[in-house]
Amino acid sequence: MSKFVFRNNTVERFFGKEYSFSGYDDISLIPQDADIYVWWYQVPIKYDQQVLADEIGDYAQKLNFVLSQIEPTKSFIALTMDILYFVPFTDDDSRLQQSVANYNNALYNAEASYNNVKVIDITEFTRNYTAADLFDWKFYFVSQMGMNPKLNKEFKVWWERKLSSIALKRKKCLVLDLDNTLWGGILGEDGIEGIKIGGDYPGKAFLYWQKALLGLSRSGVILTICSKNNEHDVLEAWENNPFMVLRQEHFAAYRINWTDKATNIKALADELNLGLDSFVFVDDNPTERELVKQMLPMVSVPDFPKQPYELPVFFKSLVEQYFKVYSITDEDKKKTEQYKANAARAKAAASFTDFASFLESLHIQIGVEAANEFNIQRIAQMTQKTNQFNLTTHRYTDADVRRFLDERWKIWCISVADKFGDNGITGTIIVKPLDSERCEIDTFLLSCRILGKGIEIAFIKRILSLLESSGFKTITANFIPTAKNTQVRGFWDKVGFKCISETEDGSRNYELSLTDTDLSIENYYHITIK
């Protein structure tokens, strides 16, 4: 993937080999073949404050010109400006600060005006270092480097994290211990009234910690519990301790018993139908953390702070390292309730001997909707995050999806609801027209939350009917194997596609003639085209 950086200083050391660069403050060449553009202008070194302010104001105008020349379907990432060095001659001269503030506001205004623009706050990186760390005159005089190249490794880690944030990639589930983790003290010894939550320190620190975790949950991170405790005692504490912020209803699932925590985390993963690499485990006990590290190396296990007053700093690092994304969707906000509803479905299924009767009892409602400005972000997010039921695992940004629509690709998503709740948008299909009668299914995926009820078959058959109505007669499709999507290896065969070739790595190419394909759908799937 080609990436191009507009800059006014030397910044090559901070990016990988896949990046190319403009000349200093040069916008005369705007390559149209780049997939991603980066705009990183830094405060120049000048001592005339007015000249400096005017030059920074000119940068904003250049940015708007460049944006007008770039396809609106190409991703454009702009870094804000931070003042790393300047010498004010008077305390009342704020021209530089004001010009930088105006410039940064111009970036955010551009983000509001262009769907493809994302703004990253550079101070999130720079505030971790002193002025001496950030700027080195030797490197500026030798190579015109506006930031110390010795920070390039740390910057690259931060930058990749920000790119993942823009792509809406993050961990999905936070597994929490209880005693000395969610509250101070040991419930079995101190009792409901004796544990430290609320009031003075250290209870106040745990209260803030729980409030922070509740906010994280509302952003779409799934909270679960894995604790060695008596379940009855915990349920009673959740019910009766007046200072408790996080209670039973805030957790999608829990394991409160005396089984080892590695086994319990695996059980949580099975219950939620999530990969273990989606989990972050937080526990105050270093022995428990080491067990999980050894037994479940795919689970992320950060070190827990030794003192409760360190919890706010720990929470910030937890968010930035594992859970921060550029924006969240409506589906993200409903994650806990959606996973709890899935548990209710599983319990209901156990009471039926006839699976078809169970599906009929669910009153499954499937909404099929073409891609639009209200669902594009969610469609892109699913391509980035969905691994198990994903036939090709192509990763796309919202800018990519908009480009496909401009090129007249056909893109739909589905929302699924039943009597237990609404799962929101949980599947998508991206179809590339080849000619007037042939098209290729580029992407077909569903969230693991809705698997196991045949919805994938109903969805694909309805889409095939829509494609047939649009005049297409032949559909091609692919299966590209990954470490996580083996369960869909035979999906196209099940639908009726014919495998026409297979490579040594297991990739398969398929074809389907719509003229002789059974596209009937069971009547207990209630499908609405929106």
CSV table of all heavy atoms in Angstrom, one decimal, residues 122 256 387 511:
chain,number,residue,atom,x,y,z
A,122,ILE,N,-1.0,15.3,17.9
A,122,ILE,CA,0.4,15.0,18.1
A,122,ILE,C,0.8,15.1,19.6
A,122,ILE,O,1.7,14.4,20.1
A,122,ILE,CB,1.3,15.8,17.2
A,122,ILE,CG1,2.8,15.4,17.3
A,122,ILE,CG2,1.2,17.3,17.7
A,122,ILE,CD1,3.0,14.0,16.7
A,256,ILE,N,-17.0,-17.0,38.6
A,256,ILE,CA,-16.6,-16.8,40.0
A,256,ILE,C,-16.6,-18.2,40.7
A,256,ILE,O,-17.7,-18.7,41.0
A,256,ILE,CB,-17.6,-15.8,40.7
A,256,ILE,CG1,-17.7,-14.5,39.9
A,256,ILE,CG2,-17.3,-15.6,42.1
A,256,ILE,CD1,-18.8,-13.6,40.4
A,387,ASN,N,-13.0,-12.1,11.9
A,387,ASN,CA,-12.0,-13.0,11.5
A,387,ASN,C,-12.5,-14.4,11.3
A,387,ASN,O,-12.1,-15.1,10.3
A,387,ASN,CB,-10.9,-13.1,12.6
A,387,ASN,CG,-10.1,-11.9,12.7
A,387,ASN,OD1,-9.6,-11.3,11.8
A,387,ASN,ND2,-10.0,-11.3,14.0
A,511,GLU,N,-17.6,-20.5,-8.7
A,511,GLU,CA,-18.5,-19.9,-9.6
A,511,GLU,C,-19.9,-20.4,-9.4
A,511,GLU,O,-20.1,-21.6,-9.0
A,511,GLU,CB,-18.0,-20.2,-11.1
A,511,GLU,CG,-18.7,-19.4,-12.1
A,511,GLU,CD,-18.1,-19.5,-13.5
A,511,GLU,OE1,-18.5,-20.5,-14.2
A,511,GLU,OE2,-17.2,-18.7,-13.8
